[in-house]
Amino acid sequence: RNPMSSDSIRRPLLPVLSSPLRRLLGIVLILFGLLAVNSLYLVSVTLAEWISGSMQQNYFYLLMFLGHLTLGLALIGPALVFGALHLRRAWGRPNRYAVGAGLSLYASAIGVFATGILLTRFGFFEVNDPQVRSASYWVHVLTPLALIWLFVLHRLAGPRLKWRRGA
């Protein structure tokens, strides 16, 4: 049936963020923010080691690395659930640019999660191939930059940002 025909029933579009989805997004953004700050510390130590040629890792670094693993694993479930539920509500929307940017954002998040799991050495699951680990590492390190860019594109394609609420 042609959606523009006069005999089709027009249903009002549901908001893409219901109240429960908005709360879940808040949880995802808080976890992502904590993970971003943690990641900046880990990157700075790695850069300091690369520049100085000496080991900079200490007990605090190991705690931060453990925090990175914990935050990353804690983020996977809420982010995947939010993305799936948000996509389900947004799929038929006329703003295809926002939908496309959202799909790219979701796919990139899945990529970060997958490479993070590949890099984690669980007792029952380990990837030991150095080439796979190296490729996974670089995808895991660089993809969050794409995630941030895609999030901004996705938000700019939608309703105006409420900067005060974010602050």
Side-chain angles (χ1 to χ4, degrees):
R1 199 193 291 195
N2 181 357
M4 299 308 244
S5 68
S6 60
D7 62 339
S8 67
I9 298 171
R10 286 190 169 233
R11 283 183 255 158
L13 292 173
L14 291 172
V16 291
L17 283 180
S18 64
S19 185
L21 268 182
R22 195 173 299 278
R23 284 192 292 278
L24 185 56
L25 175 61
I27 292 167
V28 168
L29 291 176
I30 288 169
L31 287 172
F32 177 77
L34 291 171
L35 194 57
V37 170
N38 173 272
S39 298
L40 287 174
Y41 172 78
L42 295 176
V43 165
S44 67
V45 170
T46 301
L47 279 173
E49 286 182 344
W50 183 69
I51 290 168
S52 71
S54 65
M55 184 68 85
Q56 304 290 322
Q57 297 174 19
N58 56 20
Y59 182 71
F60 183 71
Y61 176 88
L62 293 176
L63 288 176
M64 292 295 281
F65 189 79
L66 179 61
H68 188 81
L69 290 172
T70 304
L71 286 168
L73 289 171
L75 180 60
I76 292 173
L80 291 178
V81 168
F82 171 79
L85 295 175
H86 183 55
L87 178 61
R88 192 174 92 190
R89 291 177 75 100
W91 184 254
R93 295 292 179 138
N95 188 347
R96 302 316 296 163
Y97 185 78
V99 173
L103 278 171
S104 299
L105 176 62
Y106 194 51
S108 297
I110 291 170
V112 170
F113 297 146
T115 55
I117 289 170
L118 282 175
L119 290 169
T120 304
R121 295 178 190 241
F122 299 103
F124 58 89
F125 174 78
E126 286 184 21
V127 175
N128 294 317
D129 184 301
Q131 290 177 324
V132 172
R133 289 189 65 78
S134 178
S136 296
Y137 174 80
W138 286 109
V139 169
H140 190 72
V141 167
L142 296 175
T143 303
L145 299 174
L147 272 173
I148 294 166
W149 177 67
L150 288 166
F151 178 77
V152 170
L153 288 179
H154 179 62
R155 286 300 300 128
L156 289 175
R160 292 187 62 78
L161 295 170
K162 295 176 181 153
W163 292 104
R164 287 181 192 215
R165 183 181 289 176

